[in-house]
Amino acid sequence: MPDKSLNNNAVEYASNQDASMKFLSLGANFNEEIADIDNDLLENAGVKWVRGFVNINRLFLNYTDERGIWGVRSQAITNFQPIIPFINAKNTATENGRKVKLIFSLKLQFKNRNMGVPEPGSKGMDLMMKAIEEFLLAKNLGREIAVLVLGNEPMWETPLEDVADYEYFLNALIDSVGAWKKKNEWDFKTYIGALNRVSEVRQNAIGNKVLEIAKNNNKIDGLDIHMHVDDILEIEDDLKFIREDMGITKSLICTEFSIVRLFNQHSNDLLGEAFTTKFGYPENTRIFQWLNSAMVAAQSGTPISAAEFEYGFKTRDWYPDQWFFDFIKAFKKYDVDIATYRLQSHVRNPLRLLDKNSAMWSVNAPYNGELLGYFENGFPNKNPLVIPEYETVLKVH
């Protein structure tokens, strides 16, 4: 089980929790990496939820430019093995004996192969509905999940010129899901989303349409959001926009959040003389180059220390200490029911080394084998930037 000792900041956080504030459940997000779910690690981490997604368009539809969507890859659905460890995650017991609950998102990537949103009443729309229904029936996924999210960042994955078709499609999918739930006696909640950076892209037609449907369609239980910020002061912006400006009172969940955009701004910064002297790196080493060295060391079984990793960020004037707690505080203020965060990062073979323009997703994971290697028991080493806050929130909530 995780070390339940709390650092000073964590003790202060725990003691300041107001019993009248909204309860928040925390869980582990795996995105498409659901084949990598390790039940032992889930139990060790103590999470209450597990979230993953699949790309329906890319994996399960036949498409050509000439014919459009012309078929469902039913055999691919039947043989889709990554869904098995995802469903098995439900068998993981939390500390209080309750089972982990599952959130599943359908990634509907209409920009995939320039597919576009199928027109109302078209064969392509019928085939998309058929593929989604078959997938929910396969391994009886619809029975196992507690939450189904229809869509994953549609504002980035849907052509803006298809907004009218997308509105029709999403409402039709909502109706179909309702019918499937009744027919198969499924009891999961239905959310739509997930919307990212809504306060920054207020004029995005697809995003606004999702907000409108979330607010007005009584068959929708709530909205899923993603929050990847570059300024710690912006954490509340999306939540305030949704709750106050848009007037959405339904349940909110947040299945992805991080300060990755802030990390990205500084990936090409010099480590500085104090760091390079202390840890023995060349004078002009930059942050992304140092992280590449950490990946190589982790792969070779001689990882850098947690102390070095922590020093590399927490000594920088731009790094917002305790940012994880800031997210949680905002979630509670604006009544977010569930938040899932990327749990782990594996050593990759072959290594995916960074350059100065790479997104620094590898920094985020609280269990971080990719950058910090592994314990003797096989669990990834803990990320000191995240793990104290992560484990504290799990304990308190």
Side-chain angles (χ1 to χ4, degrees), residues 80-370:
F80 190 67
Q81 295 304 306
I83 203 65
I84 295 174
F86 178 79
I87 292 174
N88 287 342
K90 191 177 177 181
N91 297 322
T92 302
T94 60
E95 282 186 298
N96 59 13
R98 296 178 182 176
K99 299 296 186 180
V100 167
K101 295 182 179 181
L102 304 179
I103 300 172
F104 201 82
S105 301
L106 301 175
K107 185 181 179 76
L108 307 170
Q109 192 179 23
F110 293 108
K111 288 185 178 179
N112 182 62
R113 293 175 288 175
N114 297 315
M115 186 177 294
V117 180
E119 295 180 356
S122 66
K123 178 182 178 180
M125 175 170 285
D126 291 341
L127 290 170
M128 276 212 70
M129 298 297 178
K130 183 175 185 292
I132 293 169
E133 182 181 17
E134 285 188 15
F135 183 72
L136 292 174
L137 286 167
K139 313 295 190 296
N140 209 349
L141 178 64
R143 181 189 61 195
E144 304 292 348
I145 58 179
V147 172
L148 179 69
V149 180
L150 309 182
N152 183 77
E153 302 191 356
M155 74 291 289
W156 314 136
E157 299 173 352
T158 308
L160 288 176
E161 61 269 22
D162 287 359
V163 61
D165 288 344
Y166 184 76
E167 178 183 16
Y168 185 95
F169 170 84
L170 186 54
N171 279 309
L173 178 58
I174 292 167
D175 288 342
S176 294
V177 168
W180 301 333
K181 287 174 65 174
K182 183 176 181 180
K183 176 182 177 181
N184 298 289
E185 298 183 340
W186 295 334
D187 62 358
F188 57 77
K189 300 292 186 182
T190 305
Y191 286 64
I192 57 174
L195 297 183
N196 191 348
R197 294 163 52 191
V198 293
S199 61
E200 288 186 33
V201 289
R202 298 185 185 206
Q203 304 308 313
N204 182 278
I206 300 292
N208 285 334
K209 189 56 64 178
V210 172
L211 289 168
E212 178 184 314
I213 294 171
K215 182 176 181 178
N216 297 324
N217 190 314
N218 59 14
K219 297 178 183 178
I220 286 298
D221 296 296
L223 177 69
D224 183 15
I225 58 173
H226 291 170
M227 298 182 65
H228 299 295
V229 305
D230 55 10
D231 187 331
I232 205 69
L233 298 177
E234 296 175 357
I235 287 178
E236 291 193 16
D237 289 356
D238 285 2
L239 297 167
K240 183 176 183 294
F241 176 72
I242 290 167
R243 289 297 195 203
E244 298 181 9
D245 297 356
M246 297 300 300
I248 293 176
T249 59
K250 291 182 181 178
S251 172
L252 284 182
I253 62 175
C254 182
T255 51
E256 293 183 24
F257 62 99
S258 76
I259 57 169
V260 67
R261 293 171 62 203
L262 177 61
F263 288 141
N264 293 346
Q265 291 178 17
H266 295 280
S267 63
N268 199 40
D269 288 3
L270 291 169
L271 286 171
E273 183 179 359
F275 183 94
T276 55
T277 300
K278 183 178 179 68
F279 294 103
Y281 290 90
E283 181 179 350
N284 292 325
T285 303
R286 299 180 183 276
I287 288 178
F288 80 89
Q289 294 169 330
W290 166 58
L291 293 176
N292 285 339
S293 297
M295 289 184 196
V296 172
Q299 187 185 56
S300 69
T302 57
I304 66 172
S305 68
E308 176 183 331
F309 192 74
E310 185 173 27
Y311 186 94
F313 289 99
K314 289 198 172 183
T315 55
R316 302 189 183 278
D317 58 8
W318 54 263
Y319 181 79
D321 202 15
Q322 304 296 299
W323 58 266
F324 195 90
F325 282 160
D326 289 333
F327 269 107
I328 301 302
K329 181 179 178 181
F331 291 157
K332 295 183 73 175
K333 178 178 178 180
Y334 290 94
D335 291 347
V336 174
D337 294 311
I338 307 164
T340 63
Y341 186 80
R342 183 184 185 187
L343 181 66
Q344 64 188 38
S345 181
H346 292 300
V347 164
R348 299 179 184 274
N349 189 13
L351 290 177
R352 299 180 187 175
L353 295 180
L354 306 171
D355 60 38
K356 65 180 182 180
N357 297 314
S358 297
M360 294 172 60
W361 294 109
S362 57
V363 178
N364 289 289
Y367 290 84
N368 204 317
E370 185 174 11

Side-chain angles (χ1 to χ4, degrees), residues 60-80:
F60 304 134
L61 291 173
N62 290 316
Y63 172 85
T64 61
D65 290 340
E66 296 77 17
R67 299 175 64 183
I69 299 171
W70 59 266
V72 174
R73 300 180 63 200
S74 296
Q75 195 65 39
I77 292 174
T78 301
N79 294 337
F80 190 67

